Amino acid sequence: MQQQLRCSRVASSRITPRTRTSVVVMASAKPKLQLMVNSCTGKMGQAVAEAALRAGVELVPYTLCGPADAAAATTVTVAGRPLTLVPPATRDAVVQELKGRYPHLMMVDYTLPDAIHSMVDFYVQHRTPFVMGTTGGDRAKIAAQVEASKVYAVIAPNMGKQIVAFQATMDLMAKSFPGAFSGYKLRVVESHQSTKKDTSGTAKAVVQSFVEMGVPFEVSQIELVREPKAQMEVMKVPADAINGHAYHTYQLVSGDGTVMFEFQHNVIGRTTYAEGTVDAALFLAARIDAHDGKTLYNMIDVLRAGAMR
Ligand SMILES: NC(=O)C1=CN([C@@H]2O[C@H](COP(=O)(O)OP(=O)(O)OC[C@H]3O[C@@H](n4cnc5c(N)ncnc54)[C@H](OP(=O)(O)O)[C@@H]3O)[C@@H](O)[C@H]2O)C=CC1
Ligand SMILES: O=C(O)C1=N[C@H](C(=O)O)C[C@H](O)C1
């Protein structure tokens, strides 16, 4: 069934990370920020820690890890720097100590969907501001819990600037024209590296907008492509991006089959999310400094604030 997707062509040139432009909100006064990235044993954790260093953000030399990682090693290296691994068994004690040493401590979370609730509990319990990029879990429950705690956080399933803009646009369309696509059929196909554990959190969020536009659709109908052969042959993912890509296609067809819309965002690698995560951390640090009462944000808030480079 996945093989039947007549996927629109990916641009023939290689997809490249977005162009760097100037820093907007951070230019005037650098917010106080000491960033601890969890989990740097993973792909996104590594990418974010590297992006933080590129942006001149102070990186705290510790990282929370899963139990298996701690059994195998005591450190992980990011851009030549060793970070001490902190397993679940010792994380409470270590974080108490780190809070004393790093008064502007903020955490970034890229762990796993299975761990997301325990990670949120942990940040809330220790009252550590955090940027949560991990997908999965009960998103409404997490938002309610974090909001009630008044712990500062940015939570979003996608940190890529242009994808966030696309999400915001779909949301705007749904709010402005509810039912605009009633009678249409939706097909959603997403392809990610085979290690991805869950259905795309981005696709789930975008689907919600289409539902509000009148299209009946269940998250379980999202088609997942995880096989490298189908990824290369059907989705046209370059061979060297099989271990790191995120291709999404949303196709809407009218009831009589005479009209078709297709939206697509295809990302190779992880740079766009990593850079967006650093933007989110700098934004959150500025909000903490501002003390204006609001504590819970998503990436659309970060984008609207002009805080994405
Ligand atoms: N918001 C966004 O823009 C993006 C979000 N994501 C999301 O980020 C998440 C991570 O993706 P990715 O980096 O590719 O996944 P990886 O599997 O590469 O990394 C996850 C890491 O988390 C570790 N881990 C597991 N449990 C814990 C725990 N309790 N405490 C600390 N660390 C733990 C894992 O260790 P071990 O291997 O030992 O289990 C692993 O090293 C996913 O949910 C993904 O969908 C990804 C890209 C962009
Ligand atoms: O696991 C990934 O890789 C990604 N996860 C996020 C998601 O589930 O939406 C964002 C992007 O698709 C990459």
Side-chain angles (χ1 to χ4, degrees):
M1 162 128 122
Q2 286 159 0
Q3 274 78 352
Q4 286 165 6
L5 172 76
R6 238 183 283 281
C7 187
S8 304
R9 278 167 306 286
V10 175
S12 57
S13 61
R14 195 168 175 80
I15 303 164
T16 51
R18 65 191 152 84
T19 311
R20 316 298 309 150
T21 52
S22 58
V23 178
V24 182
V25 291
M26 292 72 80
S28 47
K30 206 170 176 182
K32 301 178 218 71
L33 174 61
Q34 294 161 321
L35 201 62
M36 177 165 159
V37 181
N38 308 322
S39 166
C40 287
T41 50
K43 297 178 282 289
M44 272 308 296
Q46 271 279 336
V48 172
E50 287 169 7
L53 291 172
R54 281 197 299 275
V57 169
E58 181 179 350
L59 185 65
V60 173
Y62 291 82
T63 183
L64 302 187
C65 69
D69 295 322
T74 54
T75 59
V76 60
T77 304
V78 170
R81 300 176 185 214
L83 309 185
T84 300
L85 295 177
V86 182
T90 58
R91 68 186 188 183
D92 288 297
V94 172
V95 166
Q96 275 310 113
E97 202 253 316
L98 291 179
K99 282 178 75 175
R101 273 165 61 191
Y102 299 95
H104 306 293
L105 184 65
M106 182 187 295
M107 302 219 179
V108 167
D109 193 286
Y110 280 102
T111 57
L112 289 173
D114 280 354
I116 190 169
H117 284 287
S118 92
M119 300 313 294
V120 171
D121 291 346
F122 175 80
Y123 302 128
V124 166
Q125 184 195 332
H126 288 280
R127 305 205 62 73
T128 315
F130 66 99
V131 176
M132 172 61 75
T134 306
T135 52
D138 180 336
R139 309 298 286 189
K141 185 175 168 197
I142 290 169
Q145 176 186 3
V146 178
E147 174 86 74
S149 74
K150 292 288 164 204
V151 169
Y152 279 87
V154 175
I155 303 177
N158 202 304
M159 312 306 201
K161 180 177 184 177
Q162 291 73 23
I163 296 172
V164 175
F166 169 70
Q167 278 182 264
T169 304
M170 292 298 110
D171 184 48
L172 218 79
M173 181 147 60
K175 299 281 182 296
S176 306
F177 310 111
F181 279 96
S182 63
Y184 276 62
K185 280 212 172 77
L186 174 63
R187 182 156 188 231
V188 181
V189 183
E190 58 94 334
S191 173
H192 286 81
Q193 59 280 352
S194 60
T195 50
K196 182 163 174 63
K197 305 268 189 247
D198 59 342
T199 299
S200 162
T202 312
K204 288 181 193 167
V206 171
V207 155
Q208 181 53 37
S209 294
F210 288 123
V211 169
E212 288 171 29
M213 286 186 249
V215 186
F217 196 85
E218 298 293 331
V219 160
S220 59
Q221 291 174 266
I222 297 172
E223 296 169 39
L224 278 54
V225 184
R226 296 288 182 269
E227 284 294 319
K229 190 170 183 295
Q231 294 178 333
M232 288 186 284
E233 291 176 4
V234 184
M235 306 297 287
K236 307 298 177 202
V237 177
D240 61 358
I242 290 303
N243 293 329
H245 69 275
Y247 279 32
H248 295 75
T249 301
Y250 312 86
Q251 189 184 72
L252 290 143
V253 178
S254 64
D256 64 1
T258 61
V259 184
M260 191 269 275
F261 282 75
E262 200 165 84
F263 302 94
Q264 194 171 85
H265 49 90
N266 293 343
V267 174
I268 289 172
R270 300 177 174 89
T271 309
T272 188
Y273 315 120
E275 299 287 349
T277 305
V278 173
D279 293 339
L282 289 164
F283 164 86
L284 196 62
R287 298 328 306 149
I288 293 168
D289 283 351
H291 253 100
D292 60 5
K294 182 170 161 62
T295 51
L296 177 60
Y297 300 90
N298 60 33
M299 283 308 284
I300 297 176
D301 299 318
V302 182
L303 183 65
R304 281 196 207 286
M308 296 192 79
R309 293 164 291 170

